[in-house]
């Protein structure tokens, strides 16, 4: 269960050879934007939620699980659990 989060997989469908670099760049961009918005919220006296980013790499299984009207895409593997 993910909750209030976002799970992103780089290269699961089409490997590029630069998945780790792409993931790190995306994570850094998210943190930078979140910090910009957090600082603005603090200046304006609004609640300023924190944001965390985790990046993990390694072998995983990506695919479709379920049947009928209960089908969903999923990613399974240690890197998913670690991040």
């Amino acid at each position: 269960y993910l909750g209030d989060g976002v799970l992103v997989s780089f290269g699961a469908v089409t490997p590029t050879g630069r998945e780790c670099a792409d993931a790190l760049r995306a994570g850094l961009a998210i943190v930078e934007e979140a910090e910009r918005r957090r600082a603005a919220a603090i200046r304006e006296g609004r609640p300023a939620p924190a944001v965390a980013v985790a990046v993990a790499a390694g072998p995983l299984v990506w695919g479709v699980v379920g049947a009928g009207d209960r089908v969903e895409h999923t990613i399974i593997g240690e890197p998913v659990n670690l991040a």
Side-chain angles (χ1 to χ4, degrees):
Y1 176 72
L2 192 56
D4 291 341
V6 175
L7 174 66
V8 179
S9 174
F10 291 83
V13 177
T14 306
T16 64
R18 57 180 193 275
E19 293 83 11
C20 291
D22 290 344
L24 291 172
R25 270 193 297 279
L28 182 58
I30 290 167
V31 169
E32 289 172 347
E33 180 63 17
E35 286 302 316
R36 186 186 69 76
R37 291 179 182 219
R38 180 176 171 76
I42 290 169
R43 279 193 310 274
E44 296 166 8
R46 295 183 287 117
V51 172
V53 172
V55 176
L60 52 84
V61 175
W62 175 87
V64 179
V65 295
D69 64 346
R70 305 245 333 149
V71 174
E72 59 184 51
H73 290 90
T74 192
I75 302 173
I76 301 168
E78 188 174 342
V80 177
N81 298 333
L82 179 61

